[in-house]
Amino acid sequence: MKVIAVSHGSFSKGLVESVQMLVGQQEDLVAYGLYPEQTVQTLTEQLEEELKKTPEGEEVLFLTDLFHGSPFNAVVSLMRDYKFHHITGINLPIAITILLERSSTDSIEALCRKAEETAAETVLYVNKLFEEKEEEE
Amino acid sequence: MKVIAVSHGSFSKGLVESVQMLVGQQEDLVAYGLYPEQTVQTLTEQLEEELKKTPEGEEVLFLTDLFHGSPFNAVVSLMRDYKFHHITGINLPIAITILLERSSTDSIEALCRKAEETAAETVLYVNKLFEEKEEEE
């Protein structure tokens, strides 16, 4: 399974770098950014190239930064002609779960559904959490 | 209100860059990364310096990458001696909401609670979303 992170600017590149600091160097993990000097069309072409060079039968998961953002739209435009999975609003904990579980999961769809369903548990207001813990004690 | 993004590697730097591509250049928004050549102690000292130079009365919100990660722990260690807010598991949509609403919100605590409560809405499995939409039509 290939994972392709796509974002405005260097967010996806930073995500991939930080993920690899935590879980080690990863194969089949790449990042693309949409930069101010670049058009959405150019980004879309780069992503299509990446899809074309993926071996037949290898599944692909796109991770984008923002629902309805331009990188999101570029990926969605490719969903017509290519079959792949797509999660938007990615954060570091979800990216790590996906990379750690991608080789062992029975179904990429189940992994994506789980990522979505457990998203709320990955974003925490730490002060509130500590207050609740203090109240319990 | 000052926002300080902290992460493993360049994730926080990428987040800040990409946010600014979307909502324009921001004041009082900085990023710190923990890099392989650096200790957690050094990072903690840098963050403490940043807190010390924040004008008295200005509120501070830390955004970290990962619950129980080293950057998270560095920020938590400072919660003993300094008063600030802290959200972990940050993604781009939540960062944007915070930056757009930080000047108009009555309460930074309410903004942080809202960020946590609406987190699930920001992470979406796009294929599932489109399937549901098709079923509705």
Side-chain angles (χ1 to χ4, degrees):
Chain A
M1 177 181 142
K2 184 188 273 188
V3 175
I4 307 172
V6 192
S7 71
H8 297 82
S10 61
F11 176 75
S12 55
K13 208 176 134 212
L15 177 82
V16 164
E17 186 198 284
S18 301
V19 160
Q20 294 191 127
M21 274 185 68
L22 283 149
V23 299
Q25 205 65 26
Q26 297 284 309
E27 284 185 16
D28 293 325
L29 171 64
V30 289
Y32 288 88
L34 176 66
Y35 292 91
E37 67 276 14
Q38 198 187 4
T39 64
V40 179
Q41 183 57 32
T42 317
L43 174 67
T44 311
E45 283 163 14
Q46 288 174 334
L47 300 178
E48 188 162 13
E49 275 311 303
E50 189 64 54
L51 285 168
K52 278 182 181 162
K53 75 180 185 202
T54 305
E56 213 174 326
E58 185 175 354
E59 291 192 286
V60 172
L61 171 57
F62 278 95
L63 304 175
T64 60
D65 56 348
L66 182 71
F67 190 49
H68 286 320
S70 299
F72 170 92
N73 290 335
V75 173
V76 167
S77 74
L78 292 165
M79 290 175 91
R80 286 183 220 120
D81 295 327
Y82 298 88
K83 201 172 143 39
F84 54 77
H85 299 264
H86 179 189
I87 292 175
T88 193
I90 193 69
N91 64 3
L92 201 67
I94 295 174
I96 287 170
T97 301
I98 286 165
L99 289 162
L100 289 178
E101 297 187 11
R102 66 174 164 168
S103 57
S104 62
T105 186
D106 291 335
S107 143
I108 180 170
E109 204 185 349
L111 184 59
C112 291
R113 282 179 184 266
K114 184 183 146 192
E116 191 192 59
E117 281 158 19
T118 56
E121 297 160 30
T122 66
V123 182
L124 300 164
Y125 180 22
V126 183
N127 307 66
K128 189 179 144 225
L129 196 74
F130 287 178
E131 273 170 31
E132 287 166 357
K133 223 177 145 187
E134 272 174 24
E135 280 167 21
E136 276 171 27
E137 280 163 9
Chain B
M1 176 181 142
K2 185 189 273 188
V3 175
I4 307 172
V6 192
S7 71
H8 296 81
S10 61
F11 176 76
S12 54
K13 207 177 135 212
L15 178 82
V16 164
E17 186 199 284
S18 301
V19 160
Q20 295 191 126
M21 274 185 66
L22 282 150
V23 298
Q25 205 66 26
Q26 297 283 309
E27 284 185 16
D28 293 325
L29 170 64
V30 290
Y32 287 89
L34 175 65
Y35 291 91
E37 67 276 12
Q38 199 187 3
T39 65
V40 179
Q41 183 57 32
T42 317
L43 175 67
T44 310
E45 283 163 16
Q46 289 175 333
L47 300 178
E48 187 162 14
E49 275 311 302
E50 188 64 52
L51 286 167
K52 279 183 179 160
K53 73 180 187 201
T54 305
E56 214 174 325
E58 184 174 356
E59 291 192 286
V60 171
L61 170 58
F62 277 96
L63 304 176
T64 60
D65 56 348
L66 183 70
F67 190 49
H68 286 320
S70 299
F72 170 93
N73 289 335
V75 173
V76 167
S77 75
L78 293 165
M79 289 176 91
R80 287 184 220 121
D81 296 328
Y82 297 89
K83 201 175 140 38
F84 54 77
H85 299 264
H86 179 190
I87 292 174
T88 193
I90 193 68
N91 65 3
L92 201 67
I94 295 173
I96 288 171
T97 301
I98 286 165
L99 290 162
L100 289 178
E101 297 187 12
R102 64 174 165 167
S103 58
S104 61
T105 186
D106 291 335
S107 144
I108 179 171
E109 205 186 349
L111 184 58
C112 291
R113 281 179 185 266
K114 184 182 145 191
E116 190 191 60
E117 282 158 18
T118 56
E121 296 160 30
T122 67
V123 182
L124 300 164
Y125 181 22
V126 183
N127 307 65
K128 188 179 145 225
L129 195 75
F130 286 178
E131 272 169 32
E132 288 165 357
K133 222 177 145 189
E134 272 175 23
E135 279 165 21
E136 277 171 26
E137 281 166 7

